[in-house]
Amino acid sequence: VFVNGYSASQCTWLEQVPAFMAQSYRVLTWDYRSHGHSQRVDYGLRIARLAQDLAELLTSLQLDRLILIGHSMGVSVSYALLSLHPEISVMALITEDQPPKMIADDDWHYGRHQLTYADIVTAAKKFPTMRLIKRPLPQDVKIAIGQQTVPFDYGATLPLLIDGLGQNFLDVVRHEQMPHLFLAGGASLLYDAEHAAAAHALQQHPLSQDYVFADCGHIPHLEAEDEFNRVVTDWLTTLKL
C-alpha cells in the first residue's frame, strides 16, 4: 500500500507499481481527499482523518497482511494508522525521507531544518516554492507525471500541512512490533539524513534497517527509482512474509 506525500497523487508511484507487481505483490495506490482525483473538500484536512480514510479503504477492500510504504506526509499518515488502528495487520513498514517528529528539541535532534513550533505556519506557506529533488528526473518520468497530475490547491489544504508539521510519532516508533525500513535522501533539502538511523535506533526490531540514498533529495523513489525498488524489494525478500 503506497501512501503519498502532501500535494502528491498516486501517479508519483508510476516507477514502483510495475516493479513491485513483477515481484508478485498486489499493489494499492490511492489519493487523499483534496488530492489527485479525489473529491475536493473543506473538512477532515488533518493527519488523523487521512489515516481513518485509509483504514476505511482497507476495510472496504478486505485487505490484511499489509506492507505500508509511506513517503513524506505519507509517513505521518502511516504512523497515525498504526496508532489509531492496531487491529489492522501491518506486516512491514517502509518510511521515506520523513522523521517521526519534525520539530527538533533537546530529546530529538533530527527534525526539519530550523523548524520550530512558532514558525510552523510560515514554513507551511513557503512549501509550494521549495525545491524537493536533488537529482533531475528523467524526461519520460516528468512527462508521464505531468500528464496525470491535476491542479492542487495549496491554499485550501494549508490546514493539513500545518497539522502535519506539528505531529510527533516518536512513541509509535518505540512501540512498533513489525520490521521497519527507514529511508532517507542523502541530500534532502528538508531533513538531515541521520534521521533514518536515529529513528531506527528507537525501534530496535531485529529485522529493521535504515538506508540513505546518496545524492538524492526528498523523493528517492523518483530520483533513484531503480535503486529504491531494489533496496525495498530486497529487504522485503529477507523478511519471508
Side-chain angles (χ1 to χ4, degrees), residues 82-128:
L82 297 179
S83 179
L84 295 170
H85 290 279
E87 77 282 0
I88 292 178
S89 176
V90 177
M91 306 301 293
L93 176 63
I94 297 98
T95 53
E96 180 189 3
D97 207 52
Q98 182 160 300
K101 184 173 185 285
M102 281 177 285
I103 295 179
D105 55 27
D106 292 340
D107 298 318
W108 177 254
H109 305 294
Y110 306 97
R112 184 164 166 177
H113 294 315
Q114 301 177 336
L115 181 66
T116 68
Y117 286 108
D119 58 21
I120 282 179
V121 174
T122 300
K125 289 180 177 178
K126 289 181 179 179
F127 180 84

Side-chain angles (χ1 to χ4, degrees), residues 176-189:
E176 286 174 357
Q177 299 299 311
M178 79 290 290
H180 187 154
L181 178 59
F182 300 86
L183 304 176
S188 175
L189 301 178

Side-chain angles (χ1 to χ4, degrees), residues 75 78-80 82-83 93 95 99-101 103 105-110 167-180 182 195-206 208:
V75 173
S78 299
Y79 286 142
L82 297 179
S83 179
L93 176 63
T95 53
K101 184 173 185 285
I103 295 179
D105 55 27
D106 292 340
D107 298 318
W108 177 254
H109 305 294
Y110 306 97
Q167 297 291 321
N168 179 356
F169 293 105
L170 293 174
D171 62 316
V172 176
V173 176
R174 290 190 184 101
H175 289 89
E176 286 174 357
Q177 299 299 311
M178 79 290 290
H180 187 154
F182 300 86
H195 71 80
H200 179 193
L202 294 176
Q203 205 247 15
Q204 295 296 318
H205 190 286
S208 293

Side-chain angles (χ1 to χ4, degrees), residues 210-226:
D210 58 83
Y211 185 89
V212 176
F213 295 89
D215 200 37
C216 275
H218 183 53
I219 319 178
H221 72 267
L222 286 177
E223 298 176 64
E225 67 280 5
D226 291 338

Side-chain angles (χ1 to χ4, degrees), residues 2 40 45 69-70 73 78 84 99 107 112 127 133 138 160 163 176 179 183 198-199 228:
F2 290 99
R40 269 49 183 166
L45 295 172
I69 304 179
M73 188 182 74
S78 299
L84 295 170
D107 298 318
R112 184 164 166 177
F127 180 84
I133 62 173
L160 173 59
D163 180 67
E176 286 174 357
L183 304 176
F228 180 93

